[in-house]
Every structure is written in structure tokens, then in C-alpha cells.
Amino acid sequence: MNEPATITRSCRGSVLDNGPVSRGLLRLDLRLEVPVNFLPGQFAMLNRSGGRAFVFGRPFSILAVDGDTVSFLYRVVGRGTAVLAELEPGDELTFLGPLGRPFPGPDVVRPALLVGGGVGLPPVAAWLARWGRDGDVACFGGRDGHDVPWDLLGSDWAVSVDETEGVPADHTAWHGLVTELAADRLAHAEGPGTVLACGPVPLLRAAADLAAREDWDCWLSLEEHMGCGYGVCKGCVVPVRDPAVSPWRNATCCSEGPVFPAADIVWEVYGAQASLAVTEPERPPKEKP
Amino acid sequence: MNLPAWWTIDPCAPFRLGPREFPGRIWTASGCFGYGLSAHDVAGADGRTPYDGLGAVVTKTVTPSPRPGNPMPRLVELPTGALNSIGLENVGIDAFLAETLPALEQGGVPTVVSLAATRPQEFGTMAAALQDAGAGCCHWHGVELNLSCPNVAEGGHDFGRDPDTVAACVAAARVHLPDRALLAKLTPNVAEIGILARAAADAGADAVSAINTVVGLEVDLATGRPVLPRRFGGYSGPGILPIALAKVDEIVSAGVPVVGVGGIADARDALRFFALGAVAVQVGTSQMRDPLAAADLAAGLVPDGQTQEPGQTQDP
């Protein structure tokens, strides 16, 4: 159930649509040469094609797939995503995916509590769309009301904001951390169930702590910089507990993850190294793909 | 691309290197395609696989004991390449022989096993264990000695910088590998690589692989400190292509067969190595970016209507 049952394609993709869904988040729809399948939690490596390719692609969790069309959410955080934001319909990218170990499937202990922070929304949104049932709870956290992709979330999601500015009059939002919202929802749920989360490290750690405290299962999708994306370069390791190796071992995030059981992660080590796996130059993009 | 008139070799045809016949001349470089087992579910839009036309996978380097590798960060992307400090993370020779080598054989992956050690005699010990465990393997074609590691027995200096030490490592492995190709992978961080290549060949290497990564360093301007915890890393990618070509030229001049590696991004880059006399090439950093890189490159280098006879090794 927790294994990819898909062919990973290395192919070209043509931009269908690319634009903001909130002030900070952008959605990219890419039409591939061939249809692909994916499981929620899997990702793809995107790169410019030909001579202008970056040395490494950039990993993006898959939001949705419809035949040969793949959708992603992203936020401009560096050189690669800055280039992505400039793409127009018809521009070409290379696609390698789907990749990685997905979230567990529909047989998780219910209810499921989904927690997505910012650009960590796609894997949990994909899970909810594929396998969500009555009783499951979905929580999204944004910086403020402008940061929240209200139309994308619809009515299935409870929303939290760090600042209440920009929350539309016809929507409500919890003022505080999304993990505080999740804790409130969990307290009212018929548990124990399963927490599935994706977002920055503090969110993941808080989700893991919440699940452990309440004896819920917990799976986390880690946001990591990556080199190859398919397990060969060993540039994106995560410290995990393993009965066979003391005190812990390095798991390759892209191929053994990006989804891990929360209980396996060695937070004392991971917290210090998170987001340092691959660094990229500070130089801004000069060319348009 | 249009292939030049002088290029008449089919890179996907068998060719002989030492005691072995390899299925082709386009290989993947050590550390850039894992153990060769991570891409069996990858395919191009047209169904091509990363193994189509591949002459060999040079495995991730294997050491006498398992190694956890270096702390993060391990990779730095640069405009013309990448700086890595992975730290030879690997499963160790015992697990490699028990699990990885049989899987490679079962998968029909043409394999060159990369070995590293901290003492010359350890290369011999590992080669003997490999020969013993892999005796029945028909897809295991050879061994590449990674000589860019510190030599503990000699005060931590790289094996690859001293001709006598290169010779000692090669000789220690050669005696146990009568029917597999033996290559020594040389570091470019030396003044005269031809002398080292000659030392390897005289000690029994069938060829050398050149080049390994170039020592490099990147500074984080925000902190004023090196980005990599161990300060230095191995620089690879398109930026090292001219360095690799120069080193290969020097080795060819020394009369030693060479497998060219360093900065190959496409078929044109590979042709540059073949033009200088390389008998085969390895695709490294590009293979990390795209698991089909070497397969695409091999397909792009097949001359129309021409093939090469097995066992033919003359240079273009």
C-alpha cells in the first residue's frame, strides 16, 4: 500500500497555465508527452530543458494529475522557483516523476487529520481528494488571509492564519498556528486516527508531537532540497531510527521518503540540518526559459 | 545532431577492455547512478529505459565497512556544476556482495564495481572477496579503484597522488582479478597525471578512468564560512570538461588506455573525449539530473548504418 505503483517518466512538459492562487502561492499546470499516474505524497523533479538546464532539477510535490496534465503548487524561494514563476503557456520543462514514497493509502486508521502549511499543501490535498472520507479533517495554515488559496481549498478545509489581515468577509480563519488548529480539531475527533502532514520543520515537529501525545499514527512529508530526486546522489539524507543501526542512520529523502513515519525521525539531528541538503547560488535568474 | 565524419564507432557495440568484453562504451560514473538499481521503473516518453545502450554502470564506491557519509549539507549547486561532499556513504563490501551484486546480476546490469580503501592491501582483500562472491556473474565486468581517498597508512595523503602508491593499490587488486577488467580512477588534483596513469598501467591496470572530481570550495557570503562542513568538496559538472579533456590528452600521450569522465553533458562532449583517444566515457553529474542521460547519449552516437565488430578497440 505504501509503495509507488507507477512508472517514473523522464519526459518533456509544456506549460498550460502558470499563475498565482494566492499572494504567495503559484500553481503550475504542465502537459506531459505521456499520461502519468501518481500516489499522494509523490513528487517530480522539474528543470529547464537543453543547454539552459540547472545542474539539478527542483522537487515539487504533485497536487493533481489528470491524464497527461500534472499540477503543482510552489512559492518563489530561490533561483529555480524564480525561473518557474516566469514561465508562460507553451514554455517547455523537463519532468522526472512521479518519484518517492507516497503517504499510506486509504487503509490508514480513521479519521485522518491532514495538516498542510503553505506550499506543503499539495501532498495532503492530493490525499484528501483521492481518499478522504466523512469524518476526516483537513487543516491549512497560511501567513495571512492573502496567503490562503481560498478557491483551491473550497469548503473541505479549516484554515488558520498567523495574521488575520486579508481574510475575506465570507470566510473564517483560526488566528494562530495551523498545528494549534489541528490540535483543536483532533480534540473533537473520534480518535485515535492518523495525522498526515506536510510543511516547514516546526509544523512537522508539532504535528508529530501532537500525534504522539494523543497516540495517533503520524506520517510526515518532508520538504527537502534535492540533487537527483531518484536516490542515486545521496545528497538529501534524513536521520532516521532503524533497529538495525545504532543510534540512527541516514535515509535518502528522495527515494526512501519524502514521506516518513514521524516516529522514525531523529529530530535532534534533523532539526539542525533541515533545508541544508542542497544549497543553490544566490544569483538571481538572468535568462527566461 | 549530425555526427562528424571521423566518428565511425558504434558506442553500443561490444568492445574489449583487458580480459572483458563490455557491451558498450557509454558508462555511468561512480556515485552518479547509485548502485545501478534505482532506475528500473524509469522510462522515457517513448519507453526508453536508462539501461538501453549502456556499456556499464560504475557503482557507488564500496568500502571495507559501511559508511554513514558526511553531515549535511552535502551538495552545493553552482552555475557550472556541483560541489559534493557525500563522504563515500555506502553499504560496505559485505552487504554489497550479499545483496547488491546478486541484484545487479539478476537485473542484467553491466557492472563495474568501484572500490575505495584506506590502505593498499585492503584493495586486495576486497578484490579477493569480490572475485570469490562474483565468480559466476556474467554481467560483472570489472573493478574501478577509487584512488582519490586518503591513505591512512601513509599519513592521510591521497592514494592517487603518488605513483608508487597507485601501483601498490593496482597490484594488490590485480592479482585477485584475472578475468575482470581493472581500472584505476585518477584524481586531477596533481601536476602530472600521465606519470600516475603509467604507474597504474605498469602495475596491471587495463585502463584508467579520468578524471575524478576537482577539489573545490564555496563560501556562504552570509556567514563568511565555507558552505560544506568539511570545507572542501569535489567539483563536477560542465565546468570541469576542459580540465578532464586536458588530463585525458596527457594520459593518452603516456600510452595508457583511458575511460574519459568529467563534465559530459551531451553527445558532443563525449565525442571530444573519443576524439582524443578515450576508449569509453562515463556520464556523471548529468546522470544525476536525468536517469536517461547516458542512454540518450549512447543512442545519439550511433552512426547511421554502421556498427563496430566486437573486440575492436582502435580509436577514431
Side-chain angles (χ1 to χ4, degrees):
Chain A
M1 184 180 71
N2 196 27
E3 295 292 335
T6 54
I7 294 174
T8 297
R9 293 289 183 182
S10 172
C11 63
R12 291 191 299 272
S14 175
V15 174
L16 282 178
D17 204 0
N18 184 32
V21 291
S22 71
R23 191 176 56 193
L25 298 176
L26 297 95
R27 174 175 174 148
L28 172 70
D29 293 338
L30 204 58
R31 174 166 289 163
L32 306 179
E33 294 176 275
V34 285
V36 292
N37 294 310
F38 88 113
L39 292 168
Q42 291 190 295
F43 66 97
M45 300 295 286
L46 302 181
N47 201 339
R48 295 197 284 191
S49 56
R52 289 193 291 183
F54 292 113
V55 174
F56 299 123
R58 302 291 189 271
F60 298 95
S61 283
I62 297 171
L63 175 67
V65 169
D66 182 8
D68 59 2
T69 301
V70 188
S71 301
F72 306 92
L73 287 187
Y74 64 99
R75 190 190 296 279
V76 175
V77 294
R79 195 172 63 131
T81 43
V83 164
L84 216 56
E86 294 178 357
L87 294 172
E88 295 177 353
D91 287 341
E92 198 170 89
L93 288 173
T94 62
F95 170 96
L96 176 65
L99 294 160
R101 187 175 296 260
F103 277 122
D107 296 336
V108 297
V109 179
R110 305 279 175 154
L113 174 61
L114 305 157
V115 186
V119 78
L121 175 64
V124 285
W127 196 96
L128 185 70
R130 179 90 62 103
W131 289 315
R133 292 182 193 159
D134 287 347
D136 293 338
V137 180
C139 302
F140 173 83
R143 296 169 182 170
D144 59 26
H146 301 296
D147 194 39
V148 179
W150 298 101
D151 291 344
L152 191 68
L153 295 173
S155 58
D156 293 335
W157 290 76
V159 173
S160 74
V161 287
D162 302 338
E163 304 292 338
T164 54
E165 183 199 338
V167 176
D170 55 344
H171 288 84
T172 58
W174 173 284
H175 186 192
L177 298 175
V178 67
T179 45
E180 296 168 347
L181 170 63
D184 178 77
R185 294 297 189 269
L186 184 144
H188 293 89
E190 289 273 336
T194 304
V195 174
L196 306 170
C198 183
V201 171
L203 180 154
L204 298 177
R205 178 107 197 231
D209 289 347
L210 172 66
R213 215 165 40 237
E214 302 296 332
D215 202 25
W216 285 44
D217 291 342
C218 185
W219 297 79
L220 304 175
S221 177
L222 308 188
E223 295 179 338
E224 277 295 332
H225 291 290
M226 294 174 182
C228 65
Y230 69 104
V232 300
C233 78
K234 303 296 177 189
C236 62
V237 294
V238 174
V240 297
R241 291 184 184 82
D242 183 334
V245 183
S246 176
W248 50 269
R249 70 176 179 88
N250 284 320
T252 307
C253 187
C254 63
S255 56
E256 295 183 66
V259 174
F260 290 92
D264 285 1
I265 295 169
V266 184
W267 292 103
E268 301 74 26
V269 180
Y270 181 65
Q273 75 172 39
S275 300
L276 292 173
V278 181
T279 62
E280 63 172 28
E282 301 145 11
R283 300 165 186 80
K286 289 181 179 171
E287 295 176 303
K288 198 164 166 290
Chain B
M1 65 174 262
N2 292 325
L3 293 167
W6 58 261
W7 178 247
T8 57
I9 289 176
D10 179 356
C12 303
F15 84 107
R16 183 160 288 277
L17 185 61
R20 295 297 293 193
E21 189 169 82
F22 282 73
R25 296 171 186 266
I26 310 300
W27 304 1
T28 58
S30 180
C32 301
F33 199 44
Y35 297 108
L37 297 168
S38 299
H40 278 293
D41 59 352
V42 175
D46 57 1
R48 287 165 304 133
T49 83
Y51 302 94
D52 290 348
L54 204 58
V57 169
V58 185
T59 67
K60 181 152 186 56
T61 293
V62 181
T63 53
S65 298
R67 286 175 58 96
N70 286 341
M72 304 289 267
R74 294 174 163 194
L75 277 177
V76 184
E77 186 187 70
L78 302 169
T80 55
L83 206 56
N84 89 77
S85 176
I86 305 298
L88 294 182
E89 177 184 331
N90 78 99
V91 297
I93 188 72
D94 291 345
F96 179 84
L97 296 179
E99 297 164 21
T100 313
L101 190 62
L104 287 162
E105 179 68 10
Q106 189 174 6
V109 179
T111 302
V112 172
V113 181
S114 172
L115 299 178
T118 52
R119 292 177 173 80
Q121 61 267 33
E122 285 177 340
F123 283 107
T125 305
M126 283 197 291
L130 196 48
Q131 181 70 11
D132 192 37
C137 294
C138 59
H139 298 291
W140 168 42
H141 292 289
V143 166
E144 183 182 85
L145 306 180
N146 179 350
L147 298 178
S148 299
C149 311
N151 179 355
V152 170
E154 297 292 334
H157 300 300
D158 284 0
F159 285 117
R161 297 189 184 194
D162 172 50
D164 292 340
T165 312
V166 167
C169 295
V170 170
R174 176 82 279 173
V175 68
H176 298 291
L177 299 168
D179 58 353
R180 313 286 163 169
L182 178 61
L183 299 98
K185 188 167 186 180
L186 301 181
T187 173
N189 306 305
V190 294
E192 295 184 275
I193 202 168
I195 293 171
L196 297 162
R198 174 45 56 197
D202 289 347
D206 298 304
V208 298
S209 304
I211 57 176
N212 209 323
T213 53
V214 179
V215 170
L217 189 154
E218 169 69 324
V219 174
D220 181 345
L221 289 181
T223 64
R225 301 171 64 85
V227 173
L228 295 172
R230 306 209 168 198
R231 302 183 75 84
F232 303 105
Y235 182 41
S236 67
I240 71 167
L241 178 69
I243 301 169
L245 291 171
K247 297 295 183 185
V248 164
D249 194 52
E250 196 179 332
I251 293 165
V252 171
S253 296
V256 178
V258 57
V259 175
V261 51
I264 294 177
D266 56 26
R268 299 173 65 87
D269 295 336
L271 280 175
R272 292 182 168 95
F273 282 99
F274 285 120
L276 294 174
V279 298
V281 296
Q282 298 176 7
V283 183
T285 304
S286 293
Q287 189 71 15
M288 293 187 196
R289 180 172 64 213
D290 180 3
L292 289 175
D296 282 349
L297 195 152
L301 283 176
V302 177
D304 288 340
Q306 299 206 31
T307 57
Q308 192 200 5
E309 293 300 316
Q312 203 175 334
T313 57
Q314 90 263 14
D315 300 318

